[in-house]
Amino acid sequence: MQNILGLFLATLTAVASAQPTTELVISSGAEGGTYFRMIEEAKATCGQSVNIVNLPSPGGGTESISRLFSKQVNAALIQGDQIAYTALTDARMKDYYTLFAFHTEDLHFLVPRGIGVVDSTALGWRDRLAGLISDNQKLVNTPPYKYITDLRNEPILASGGSAITVQALQAFAGLSVNLVQKKNWDEVFAALKAGEARVALFVGGQPLGIFKDVDERLDFLQVSAETVNNKKVVDNYGPAVLNYTNMRVAGYQTLTTRALLVTRDYKSPQIRAALKAFRTCLNDNLTLLQEQLGKHPAWNTVRPNEQGFWQWLNLDD
């Protein structure tokens, strides 16, 4: 009997010791959103390797960065350009490094068709003056645009991380716009259709669900090759192409950033081991996450050992 009891206790001890004990608390995004869901899926896949706590972040990247700085979390999933932009004014951001580069997030500059990819020289002066705004919008006295650099002190609608991207592009690409910030994408979309502004920015992996039922009356501005190749832009963005058949959009040039999981350069062996285990597990199981039914489509843009546009955390010691 004693032998059986001893064997039972030994088994319990072995099972307990096999379970990861060091928690990694990660600030992700709003519940139900892409960031939150991807951390949940990573947690489900890597739960045997590392103990992940997924902390929702309704306030987006700004809230997540605040949590990092106040040591409420070990890591946070944040838009890459927001990290770089924050570092311009807050030196604390440079104390954080990329643990894993998640999915790409493409820049969508949405406009009513006729303001976007139209060659204004091919239009009569009356059409150029009207701006060819769609039926339910008031006419304004500015010509059609093709590229984001055609904007000159134009109001632009955005919310959350997309609003940060507007500010980042003002700093990195000299974008000449006036930010009109809204609470969420639905408010941005409604304001665009109401004519509050003629341009709105949505940042996310395509196809964005908010464009699912949009037709060809809406269009996108493009990003010129000159902007794509701008040194400050190259340091923080990559080139991307937009394709939306429902909008008659194909091969439109734009920029993309990446969602980056960032953390401190911890010296504690336990935390470093947990970080390394999480990175290794994600790389080892990336194909499964990309191919398994029901997993978020954004996994398809994740690349093994991709480092993104921010400083990389070396865990090889």
Side-chain angles (χ1 to χ4, degrees):
M1 183 67 181
Q2 287 182 338
N3 288 339
I4 295 175
L5 180 59
L7 181 61
F8 176 70
L9 291 174
T11 302
L12 283 180
T13 302
V15 170
S17 63
Q19 297 299 314
T21 56
T22 302
E23 284 187 347
L24 286 184
V25 182
I26 298 175
S27 183
S28 55
E31 286 193 69
T34 299
Y35 283 21
F36 182 83
R37 180 175 162 188
M38 292 189 77
I39 294 299
E40 279 295 290
E41 292 175 355
K43 174 183 175 180
T45 300
C46 297
Q48 295 299 314
S49 303
V50 61
N51 186 7
I52 298 294
V53 177
N54 185 6
L55 189 63
S57 176
T62 301
E63 181 178 19
S64 289
I65 289 173
S66 176
R67 286 172 172 173
L68 282 174
F69 291 168
S70 59
K71 295 180 67 176
Q72 297 178 50
V73 297
N74 300 110
L77 188 57
I78 306 169
Q79 219 171 271
D81 58 349
Q82 183 171 5
I83 296 169
Y85 179 70
T86 301
L88 293 177
T89 56
D90 196 326
R92 292 177 295 177
M93 195 74 251
K94 295 179 182 178
D95 293 331
Y96 293 84
Y97 299 80
T98 302
L99 176 65
F100 193 82
F102 275 72
H103 56 288
T104 56
E105 299 193 293
D106 301 332
L107 278 57
H108 301 69
F109 290 91
L110 188 68
V111 291
R113 187 167 291 277
I115 299 175
V117 288
V118 174
D119 181 358
S120 62
T121 61
L123 300 172
W125 71 269
R126 292 181 187 277
D127 287 334
R128 293 203 303 273
L129 188 67
L132 292 180
I133 304 291
S134 58
D135 298 342
N136 64 337
Q137 293 184 303
K138 60 181 181 291
L139 302 179
V140 285
N141 299 330
T142 48
Y145 299 140
K146 179 174 182 179
Y147 298 114
I148 62 170
T149 45
D150 292 333
L151 302 173
R152 292 291 183 270
N153 298 316
E154 182 90 10
I156 183 169
L157 298 156
S159 68
S162 301
I164 300 296
T165 294
V166 171
Q167 295 172 309
L169 287 173
Q170 287 173 317
F172 299 139
L175 187 64
S176 178
V177 292
N178 298 311
L179 175 62
V180 180
Q181 196 159 353
K182 298 295 181 180
K183 291 181 180 178
N184 52 53
W185 280 4
D186 289 336
E187 282 195 11
V188 170
F189 205 81
L192 182 72
K193 292 198 291 185
E196 186 174 330
R198 302 193 308 156
V199 185
L201 177 60
F202 299 84
V203 180
Q206 62 176 306
L208 287 182
I210 198 168
F211 299 145
K212 181 180 178 182
D213 298 320
V214 170
D215 60 26
E216 60 191 44
R217 286 175 294 180
L218 290 175
D219 201 358
F220 296 114
L221 294 181
Q222 297 194 64
V223 178
S224 67
E226 181 181 4
T227 301
V228 170
N229 294 319
N230 178 302
K231 177 62 170 63
K232 289 184 178 179
V233 172
V234 169
D235 288 343
N236 296 285
Y237 299 92
V241 172
L242 296 178
N243 295 290
Y244 286 85
T245 55
N246 55 312
M247 298 170 64
R248 289 197 296 123
V249 167
Y252 279 25
Q253 186 166 257
T254 189
L255 296 170
T256 190
T257 184
R258 274 194 184 272
L260 302 178
L261 184 64
V262 294
T263 185
R264 288 170 52 201
D265 186 8
Y266 284 96
K267 304 306 178 186
S268 162
Q270 295 90 339
I271 299 178
R272 288 183 72 83
L275 292 171
K276 188 171 184 177
F278 192 35
R279 177 189 282 172
T280 300
C281 177
L282 287 172
N283 278 317
D284 289 349
N285 291 279
L286 183 54
T287 301
L288 176 64
L289 287 163
Q290 291 172 335
E291 296 181 351
Q292 195 170 28
L293 296 180
K295 291 294 188 285
H296 199 291
W299 286 109
N300 293 333
T301 65
V302 181
R303 297 291 176 262
N305 301 308
E306 167 70 42
Q307 296 188 7
F309 302 103
W310 189 240
Q311 55 196 16
W312 184 248
L313 178 61
N314 183 6
L315 290 171
D316 291 336
D317 53 353

